[in-house]
Amino acid sequence: MGNNEPVTRTAVRAARLDQVCAAAVEVARAGIGDVDPGDVGEYLQPVAEGDRLVTHLFECRMAGYRGWRWGVTVTRVPRSRAVTVCETVLLPGPDALLAPGWVPWHERLKPGDLGPGDLLPTHAEDERLVPGYVLSDDPAVEEVSWELGLGRPRVLSREGRAEAAQRWYDGDHGPHAAISAAAPAAARCGTCGFYLPLAGAMRQAFGVCANFYAPDDGRAVSADHGCGAHSEALVESADTGADELPTIYDDSEIESVPVNPAAGSVHTDEPAEPYGHS
């Protein structure tokens, strides 16, 4: 210590097992009322709770409570050997089957749990949101948040944007998705004509796919995401490995083909018609 003061350590004395209370096993067993005698099993052990305060544990044989124990706490006044029952409880043992721990509803929700007609109220202290009048480092947010009477009551905070960006980037619409890994290296969304960049701080990394034939149509994708429906993707002709043979024309023989003359045509073997002059 800097001021050289002595350090005081407080020792916690373990509770001593009161022998009179520990011997009152039958008094404790009789304290388990309103149950069938067959539901109370063998005696297990006494547990010292404090001065002249002992809890007796019995096996529980009730259906559906395997591994549980009956706990009966007994006590006595000083210098008296009369033991009385304080309380009777049913306690889980080390092998008891317990229900899962309670988790708040907002921590149990998973993506896709919200269905038609469901309402999902946002917690008032949600760190992902800040009041609309608070200055943000995103110009696109400030553009709408400062509209008097028309701005949104709350907007995304820096933590909220970072959390959403990381979730999108690591999800099925980021660069590590299976469809992105299988796409050509140059087929990235940032260079695709169907890529609509988001506004504000998200613009540098994310946009929305507008390709009707792409599996990500209408979804936010990262700029380095990709798929085979890229606007500049070219389909190359498959190489069969066989050389194309040249076309050969044989003009050594002439075949006569009769042609019917059209109406009004003149044949060379017909006499010339007089034209009225010499």
Side-chain angles (χ1 to χ4, degrees), residues 236-256:
E236 298 180 357
S237 59
D239 186 5
T240 60
D243 295 334
E244 183 179 356
L245 297 177
T247 303
I248 301 176
Y249 298 95
D250 185 7
D251 56 357
S252 60
E253 296 183 2
I254 299 177
E255 180 181 0
S256 300

Side-chain angles (χ1 to χ4, degrees), residues 105-223:
W105 65 268
H106 61 275
E107 297 181 11
R108 297 195 303 266
L109 288 174
K110 302 296 182 184
D113 287 349
L114 189 68
D118 294 340
L119 296 178
L120 180 60
T122 304
H123 196 275
E125 303 298 330
D126 196 327
E127 64 177 7
R128 299 172 301 172
L129 299 172
V130 293
Y133 57 80
V134 177
L135 288 177
S136 171
D137 58 356
D138 192 339
V141 175
E142 295 178 3
E143 182 179 350
V144 296
S145 64
W146 281 101
E147 297 177 3
L148 184 61
L150 299 177
R152 292 172 288 173
R154 290 191 290 177
V155 295
L156 269 178
S157 64
R158 180 182 300 179
E159 292 77 7
R161 288 197 308 274
E163 179 182 333
Q166 192 64 49
R167 184 174 63 253
W168 295 352
Y169 197 79
D170 296 338
D172 295 336
H173 311 295
H176 307 298
I179 191 171
S180 181
R188 301 297 100 183
C189 293
T191 59
C192 181
F194 299 105
Y195 180 76
L196 301 175
L198 295 182
M202 290 288 201
R203 182 184 182 90
Q204 300 178 359
F206 296 97
V208 176
C209 177
N211 190 345
F212 175 77
Y213 299 102
D216 298 312
D217 180 41
R219 296 179 174 89
V221 293
S222 66

Side-chain angles (χ1 to χ4, degrees):
M1 301 293 291
N3 54 7
N4 295 327
E5 293 181 359
V7 179
T8 303
R9 294 183 174 86
T10 303
V12 179
R13 181 176 63 89
R16 186 178 61 180
L17 184 66
D18 186 84
Q19 297 301 321
V20 176
C21 292
V25 176
E26 295 305 320
V27 175
R29 183 184 291 271
I32 307 176
D34 299 333
V35 297
D36 189 277
D39 294 336
V40 183
E42 299 180 357
Y43 179 69
L44 299 177
Q45 68 182 68
V47 178
E49 304 286 358
D51 293 339
R52 298 178 301 279
L53 192 65
V54 176
T55 297
H56 295 274
L57 298 177
F58 300 86
E59 179 186 4
C60 178
R61 293 180 177 175
M62 293 178 61
Y65 288 88
R66 185 183 63 182
W68 287 66
R69 301 171 173 181
W70 293 105
V72 183
T73 303
V74 298
T75 187
R76 67 183 179 90
V77 299
R79 294 184 297 276
S80 174
R81 302 187 67 84
V83 178
T84 58
V85 176
C86 295
E87 63 176 356
T88 302
V89 294
L90 191 59
L91 301 173
D95 300 328
L97 181 62
L98 301 177
W102 183 82
V103 180
W105 65 268
H106 61 275
E107 297 181 11
R108 297 195 303 266
L109 288 174
K110 302 296 182 184
D113 287 349
L114 189 68
D118 294 340
L119 296 178
L120 180 60
T122 304
H123 196 275
E125 303 298 330
D126 196 327
E127 64 177 7
R128 299 172 301 172
L129 299 172
V130 293
Y133 57 80
V134 177
L135 288 177
S136 171
D137 58 356
D138 192 339
V141 175
E142 295 178 3
E143 182 179 350
V144 296
S145 64
W146 281 101
E147 297 177 3
L148 184 61
L150 299 177
R152 292 172 288 173
R154 290 191 290 177
V155 295
L156 269 178
S157 64
R158 180 182 300 179
E159 292 77 7
R161 288 197 308 274
E163 179 182 333
Q166 192 64 49
R167 184 174 63 253
W168 295 352
Y169 197 79
D170 296 338
D172 295 336
H173 311 295
H176 307 298
I179 191 171
S180 181
R188 301 297 100 183
C189 293
T191 59
C192 181
F194 299 105
Y195 180 76
L196 301 175
L198 295 182
M202 290 288 201
R203 182 184 182 90
Q204 300 178 359
F206 296 97
V208 176
C209 177
N211 190 345
F212 175 77
Y213 299 102
D216 298 312
D217 180 41
R219 296 179 174 89
V221 293
S222 66
D224 50 356
H225 182 67
C227 72
H230 193 278
S231 63
E232 309 307 319
L234 299 177
V235 180
E236 298 180 357
S237 59
D239 186 5
T240 60
D243 295 334
E244 183 179 356
L245 297 177
T247 303
I248 301 176
Y249 298 95
D250 185 7
D251 56 357
S252 60
E253 296 183 2
I254 299 177
E255 180 181 0
S256 300
V257 178
V259 177
N260 294 326
S265 59
V266 179
H267 295 274
T268 57
D269 55 348
E270 295 181 356
E273 296 181 2
Y275 291 95
H277 60 81
S278 56

